[in-house]
Amino acid sequence: AQSVTQLGSHVSVSEGALVLLRCNYSSSVPPYLFWYVQYPNQGLQLLLKYTTGATLVKGINGFEAEFKKSETSFHLTKPSAHMSDAAEYFCAVSGGETSGSRLTFGEGTQLTVNP
Amino acid sequence: NAGVTQTPKFQVLKTGQSMTLQCAQDMNHNSMYWYRQDPGMGLRLIYYSASEGTTDKGEVPNGYNVSRLNKREFSLRLESAAPSQTSVYFCASLRAMSTDTQYFGPGTRLTVL
């Protein structure tokens, strides 16, 4: 079984500050991990994903995440926040082909960027 | 490519009414999914179809039925709507492998009075 915990349902940063959104997972199979972003009244858009290989993954809009197996974490970072980064962010883990590649999502983190 | 499309965008039902949410994808993807999104709960899987001709229950299937009409289309039916089914519903599709990306539709906002 898979589960995802996102620490902090709301995170507020100043424009230009570091963004850090936390994600911890539990998985009974080697994890495939995803970060999605949701802008108001829209669907989800993939930011980045970890499948195999390099543990530091770069995504769109300057975001990156590092897979740390020993800490079962996949935290999302961005060095300098922009106003346009204000959105809700979801971490997800895949259950693999034996479970239809279904995703289990965390509860989400709402990011606010203050001018 | 339109990607994943959903109809309708908004719907208001009375308790006990039925309706079908439609989803279609034009990416030739094998797998399709229905999720519901509620505040503070992330997205929860209702049903999925790993391939054409198959459907399986997800985390919260009670009160819903699905039909994988063909490879493109995957519909979600509420036979007797309840206020607890007020939510935003998202359809998603996946090409084939767990390492592939799930692509999401724009969502249907459903209110049950």
Side-chain angles (χ1 to χ4, degrees):
Chain A
Q2 286 71 41
S3 67
V4 174
T5 302
Q6 292 183 236
L7 291 175
S9 58
H10 291 84
V11 170
S12 182
V13 300
S14 298
E15 192 172 20
L18 172 72
V19 175
L20 171 60
L21 304 183
R22 299 178 186 274
C23 172
N24 288 89
Y25 70 90
S26 171
S27 178
S28 56
V29 297
Y32 302 137
L33 296 159
F34 303 79
W35 274 101
Y36 281 87
V37 61
Q38 184 182 33
Y39 299 104
N41 300 314
Q42 293 187 25
L44 278 69
Q45 177 185 0
L46 182 73
L47 271 179
L48 50 80
K49 63 182 178 181
Y50 169 78
T51 55
T52 58
T55 56
L56 182 62
V57 180
K58 295 186 185 300
I60 62 172
N61 302 338
F63 284 92
E64 62 182 36
E66 187 170 11
F67 170 62
K68 292 187 176 181
K69 184 178 180 180
S70 61
E71 298 178 8
T72 62
S73 69
F74 191 55
H75 301 330
L76 182 71
T77 60
K78 181 174 180 178
S80 177
H82 191 272
M83 297 294 290
S84 60
D85 295 327
E88 189 156 23
Y89 293 79
F90 293 94
C91 182
V93 62
S94 174
E97 276 80 10
T98 56
S99 65
S101 303
R102 51 195 287 179
L103 291 178
T104 299
F105 284 86
E107 300 88 350
T109 297
Q110 183 69 48
L111 176 66
T112 300
V113 182
N114 301 306
Chain B
N1 282 358
V4 180
T5 57
Q6 293 183 236
T7 55
K9 288 187 173 18
F10 301 94
Q11 184 71 49
V12 178
L13 293 178
K14 295 180 180 178
T15 297
Q17 288 185 318
S18 62
M19 78 162 295
T20 299
L21 282 66
Q22 306 287 353
C23 174
Q25 51 91 9
D26 63 359
M27 297 175 283
N28 200 33
H29 284 180
N30 288 328
S31 303
M32 297 184 74
Y33 308 82
W34 276 106
Y35 296 90
R36 60 177 289 173
Q37 182 180 23
D38 303 291
M41 303 187 75
L43 279 76
R44 293 179 292 167
L45 183 66
I46 305 171
Y47 271 93
Y48 66 100
S49 171
S51 61
E52 188 178 357
T54 69
T55 61
D56 283 287
K57 295 178 180 179
E59 185 183 352
V60 289
N62 291 346
Y64 304 95
N65 285 300
V66 291
S67 295
R68 182 76 183 265
L69 304 170
N70 48 55
K71 191 171 185 179
R72 288 188 65 248
E73 299 172 287
F74 188 40
S75 63
L76 179 72
R77 182 161 178 83
L78 288 69
E79 291 290 352
S80 179
S84 61
Q85 295 177 305
T86 293
S87 188
V88 182
Y89 292 84
F90 288 99
C91 178
S93 70
L94 177 85
R95 186 174 62 86
M97 306 291 290
S98 294
T99 52
D100 295 328
T101 298
Q102 280 193 27
Y103 290 88
F104 284 78
T108 294
R109 188 173 297 271
L110 175 67
T111 301
V112 183
L113 302 174

